[in-house]
Amino acid sequence: MIQTPYLLFLGDAPDKLAAKVAQGIKDWRPENAVGQFRMEGCGTTVDLPDMTLEEGIAAGAKTLVIGVANRGGVISEAWKEVLVQALQMGYDIASGLHNLLRDENELMSAARVNGQTLFDVRIPSVAYPIANGVKRTGKRCLAVGTDCSVGKMYTGLCMDAEMQKRGMKTTFRPTGQTGILITGGGVPLDAVIADFMAGAVEYLTPDNDPDHWDHIEGQGSLFHVSYSGVTMALIHGGQPDALILAHEPTRTHMRGLPDYKLPSLEALRDMVLPIAQVANPACQIAGVSVNTQHMTDDDARAYLAEVEDRMGLPTTDPFRYGAGVLVDALEQI
Amino acid sequence: MIQTPYLLFLGDAPDKLAAKVAQGIKDWRPENAVGQFRMEGCGTTVDLPDMTLEEGIAAGAKTLVIGVANRGGVISEAWKEVLVQALQMGYDIASGLHNLLRDENELMSAARVNGQTLFDVRIPSVAYPIANGVKRTGKRCLAVGTDCSVGKMYTGLCMDAEMQKRGMKTTFRPTGQTGILITGGGVPLDAVIADFMAGAVEYLTPDNDPDHWDHIEGQGSLFHVSYSGVTMALIHGGQPDALILAHEPTRTHMRGLPDYKLPSLEALRDMVLPIAQVANPACQIAGVSVNTQHMTDDDARAYLAEVEDRMGLPTTDPFRYGAGVLVDALEQI
């Protein structure tokens, strides 16, 4: 686990999109961040107090989290100077960048000398077991998408937040680097060796109280040929009791695959349920989560009503209108 | 690619089972092996001429292939002595053992000094791309099983051999270490990083002549929760035109999963076809391959007739009774 709280490194992020990891931490685990660190030329903010490295330490920060994408895939000299200083002052550093912290000699040696840890959350740090398929106690919910990047992580985070509000036992279980940085731990599933994928998910969601819900972060899509194997391992390793179908209605083709059309929600439902019931015969589809960010409020509400009627399942955009109806459905399971 | 022909190292294999990789090479690509090398205490044979390392070189052998499982997972001192000699004499060495050749310092330095190559075929040697899902030319057949280890590799090898006999254009495409050693190349799919699995299969089965068939070696099972993600990637990366359902009727539960019953052939058919049609809408199920090794001839024939009738698909044990009816079906596609 990455030590919290964090100081969020925004570096020279030009805009909001570049700082989306920092924004995710601010939105979902504000208690994990004491402030933001911005450099000369930073063009955005996540609306946390600006702090120097010294002020961050004084506020209790343990880890400097790279909350920004790096331009051109290079960890610049200007960044490195700050990161080395941070290590010298006693920060660990955590990053989800493609370029690894551990591949930078100056960072490695500064970390060694100062006894600090570099967390490259894209790379597994655990030798995961092969899945054994044994039924675990506690309950699990997984969002599965008609495509990649349709809002599965946000669906899980929204349901987790709603359950927290209701005083229910709940944990969000990250399977990608943004989720791992938000909560401080998880499994970078897309980087796990094929034979150990399902075992990594079992490891991520161990036995728990009978009334506890794990919200497992979804990945890929059964209909996305590049990543469907990862989705499959998530379903069989996760043994979900409840599935949420996730959809983005304005997509014209599968992400990155111009020749592939999106499946209907019905096609997703019909494919995923028998697959999930291999690992958990009691699994059911509990609701539909629609990402309506590209629709007007009127269009979104009309679309949600139409889907709810057509599918006979509670349907919402949990980020826009709350996850209440989805959590209501899970309370019946 | 591993250079052929091979000298097959049987070491001190106690019995037939321990030498099954060597036996596979002898059975399926006898032209790839000039002879066998046995040590003191070897209790089995694959019925090839016994040769010293010198005789192997004289017969043209380029690679010494470890055709045997090592006891207790250790590469013994007695083995190492032979392997170092072989490197000094100009052999490459290829192995599918869990313990890697490259982790043995004596072998690494002997290989370096002599300019020879160590092939650990369990480990990918290529940086595979992410799958792009683009339709490829040529035809592809994939066996999918109700369980792991039900005869998918043998089904592919039998169909490839039958097509060769008929003068058809055909290639067997290995996805596991035994298949890779048999043919000299392939993708060790279970050791590939999750995000690149489907891309590795695309890489393995590139564009080809319109009337050429790739027989892609199957892995795992959609119903085996430990490995189903690998199977999924194989189906979506492989874009098969034809699927063969593979089954072993005497299994009482899924391999290694005592709580999981085997699915029916009907359940496999109903699950796999919509999945395969995501990547190739023209995909069809061409036949059924039954592993009848634990049945009498009478029982086997009766069972095959019953399945053929029930499923309405050509059904055979291709290893016992030939792959003719399956290849007949593919000739219609």
Side-chain angles (χ1 to χ4, degrees):
Chain A
M1 290 291 288
I2 302 165
Q3 286 194 86
T4 56
Y6 307 148
L7 178 62
L8 302 182
F9 177 84
L10 266 58
D12 43 10
D15 51 35
K16 275 231 168 292
L17 194 65
K20 78 174 183 177
V21 169
Q23 190 64 51
I25 295 168
K26 159 72 193 307
D27 287 345
W28 296 105
R29 292 292 183 274
E31 71 276 17
N32 281 356
V34 299
Q36 64 185 13
F37 178 96
R38 299 194 288 174
M39 287 165 57
E40 187 82 15
C42 182
T44 189
T45 174
V46 296
D47 299 317
L48 284 171
D50 280 299
M51 291 187 180
T52 62
L53 294 177
E54 290 80 0
E55 288 166 346
I57 291 281
K62 306 281 189 221
T63 303
L64 185 70
V65 169
I66 313 288
V68 54
N70 51 336
R71 300 190 212 192
V74 175
I75 299 179
S76 69
E77 289 306 313
W79 279 30
K80 261 183 254 179
E81 203 177 301
V82 177
L83 302 184
V84 168
Q85 273 178 35
L87 291 164
Q88 287 167 344
M89 293 172 59
Y91 283 96
D92 291 338
I93 304 181
S95 159
L97 300 177
H98 270 290
N99 312 59
L100 304 184
L101 299 173
R102 69 182 70 165
D103 289 343
E104 302 290 333
N105 290 333
E106 294 148 271
L107 300 184
M108 273 302 272
S109 55
R112 261 200 214 105
V113 168
N114 297 284
Q116 301 306 125
T117 304
L118 302 176
F119 293 94
D120 285 304
V121 302
R122 275 187 191 266
I123 306 293
S125 55
V126 171
Y128 302 113
I130 285 176
N132 64 22
V134 174
K135 174 76 181 149
R136 306 191 294 287
T137 53
K139 289 173 182 166
R140 287 160 194 85
C141 180
L142 174 69
V144 290
T146 49
D147 192 4
C148 298
S149 311
V150 293
K152 297 185 300 296
M153 183 181 81
Y154 270 55
T155 300
L157 284 163
C158 288
M159 294 178 71
D160 174 55
E162 175 67 20
M163 284 197 173
Q164 284 181 40
K165 226 167 55 183
R166 297 188 188 185
M168 298 170 69
K169 296 179 188 167
T170 176
T171 310
F172 178 71
R173 300 293 190 183
T175 60
Q177 69 269 8
T178 304
I180 294 172
L181 289 172
I182 288 175
T183 66
V187 166
L189 192 58
D190 59 7
V192 171
I193 299 278
D195 252 3
F196 304 98
M197 294 184 297
V201 181
E202 291 187 350
Y203 169 95
L204 179 69
T205 66
D207 280 324
N208 217 316
D209 295 341
D211 56 345
H212 176 279
W213 280 95
D214 270 342
H215 298 278
I216 307 172
E217 183 188 348
Q219 293 293 337
S221 164
L222 291 175
F223 288 84
H224 196 295
V225 296
S226 310
Y227 307 115
S228 54
V230 180
T231 311
M232 188 75 170
L234 205 44
I235 297 170
H236 280 172
Q239 303 179 347
D241 301 276
L243 294 167
I244 305 292
L245 307 181
H247 187 52
E248 205 282 64
T250 68
R251 291 272 169 93
T252 53
H253 61 75
M254 298 293 284
R255 192 177 162 91
L257 305 176
D259 297 338
Y260 287 76
K261 292 222 178 313
L262 265 77
S264 64
L265 283 162
E266 287 87 344
L268 174 59
R269 172 194 67 197
D270 294 345
M271 185 180 289
V272 71
L273 195 59
I275 288 173
Q277 289 178 339
V278 169
N280 184 352
C283 182
Q284 52 189 276
I285 294 177
V288 181
S289 171
V290 181
N291 177 347
T292 64
Q293 66 175 321
H294 299 301
M295 302 169 87
T296 65
D297 180 63
D298 279 354
D299 286 354
R301 288 178 190 277
Y303 185 82
L304 294 173
E306 187 265 315
V307 169
E308 181 152 311
D309 184 53
R310 208 177 81 210
M311 301 291 292
L313 289 165
T315 301
T316 185
D317 179 334
F319 191 65
R320 193 169 187 174
Y321 303 119
V325 297
L326 301 179
V327 171
D328 291 347
L330 263 56
E331 290 215 67
Q332 305 306 314
I333 292 177
Chain B
M1 291 288 289
I2 303 165
Q3 285 194 85
T4 56
Y6 308 149
L7 178 64
L8 302 182
F9 177 84
L10 265 58
D12 43 10
D15 52 35
K16 276 229 167 295
L17 194 65
K20 79 174 181 174
V21 169
Q23 190 65 50
I25 296 167
K26 160 70 193 307
D27 287 346
W28 295 105
R29 293 291 183 275
E31 70 276 18
N32 281 356
V34 300
Q36 64 185 14
F37 178 96
R38 299 194 290 175
M39 287 165 59
E40 188 83 15
C42 181
T44 189
T45 175
V46 295
D47 299 318
L48 284 171
D50 280 300
M51 290 186 181
T52 63
L53 294 177
E54 290 80 359
E55 288 166 345
I57 292 280
K62 307 280 189 221
T63 304
L64 186 70
V65 169
I66 312 288
V68 54
N70 51 336
R71 301 189 213 194
V74 175
I75 299 179
S76 70
E77 289 306 313
W79 279 30
K80 259 183 255 180
E81 205 176 298
V82 176
L83 302 184
V84 167
Q85 273 178 35
L87 291 165
Q88 289 167 344
M89 293 173 59
Y91 283 94
D92 291 338
I93 303 181
S95 158
L97 300 176
H98 270 289
N99 313 59
L100 303 184
L101 300 172
R102 69 181 69 166
D103 288 343
E104 302 291 332
N105 290 332
E106 294 147 89
L107 299 185
M108 273 302 271
S109 54
R112 260 199 215 108
V113 167
N114 298 284
Q116 301 307 126
T117 304
L118 302 175
F119 292 95
D120 285 304
V121 302
R122 275 187 191 267
I123 307 293
S125 55
V126 171
Y128 302 113
I130 287 177
N132 64 23
V134 174
K135 175 75 181 150
R136 305 191 295 286
T137 52
K139 289 174 180 164
R140 286 158 194 84
C141 180
L142 174 70
V144 291
T146 50
D147 192 4
C148 298
S149 310
V150 292
K152 297 185 298 297
M153 182 180 80
Y154 271 53
T155 300
L157 285 163
C158 289
M159 294 177 71
D160 174 55
E162 175 66 21
M163 284 197 173
Q164 284 181 40
K165 228 167 55 185
R166 297 187 188 186
M168 297 171 68
K169 295 179 189 168
T170 176
T171 310
F172 179 71
R173 299 293 189 183
T175 60
Q177 68 269 7
T178 304
I180 294 171
L181 290 173
I182 289 174
T183 66
V187 165
L189 192 59
D190 60 7
V192 171
I193 300 279
D195 252 3
F196 304 98
M197 294 185 298
V201 181
E202 291 187 349
Y203 169 94
L204 179 68
T205 66
D207 280 323
N208 217 318
D209 295 340
D211 57 343
H212 176 279
W213 279 95
D214 270 342
H215 299 278
I216 307 173
E217 183 187 347
Q219 293 293 337
S221 163
L222 291 175
F223 289 84
H224 195 294
V225 296
S226 310
Y227 308 114
S228 53
V230 181
T231 311
M232 189 73 170
L234 205 43
I235 297 170
H236 280 172
Q239 304 179 344
D241 301 275
L243 294 166
I244 305 292
L245 307 180
H247 187 53
E248 205 284 62
T250 68
R251 291 272 169 91
T252 54
H253 61 75
M254 297 293 283
R255 192 177 163 91
L257 304 176
D259 297 338
Y260 287 77
K261 292 221 180 312
L262 265 76
S264 64
L265 283 162
E266 288 86 345
L268 174 59
R269 173 195 66 197
D270 294 345
M271 184 181 289
V272 71
L273 195 58
I275 288 173
Q277 288 177 340
V278 169
N280 184 350
C283 183
Q284 51 188 280
I285 294 176
V288 181
S289 171
V290 182
N291 176 348
T292 64
Q293 66 176 321
H294 299 300
M295 302 168 89
T296 65
D297 180 63
D298 279 353
D299 287 353
R301 289 178 189 276
Y303 184 82
L304 293 174
E306 188 266 313
V307 169
E308 181 152 311
D309 185 52
R310 209 177 79 211
M311 300 292 291
L313 290 165
T315 301
T316 185
D317 179 334
F319 192 64
R320 194 170 186 175
Y321 303 119
V325 297
L326 301 178
V327 172
D328 291 347
L330 263 56
E331 291 215 67
Q332 305 306 314
I333 292 176

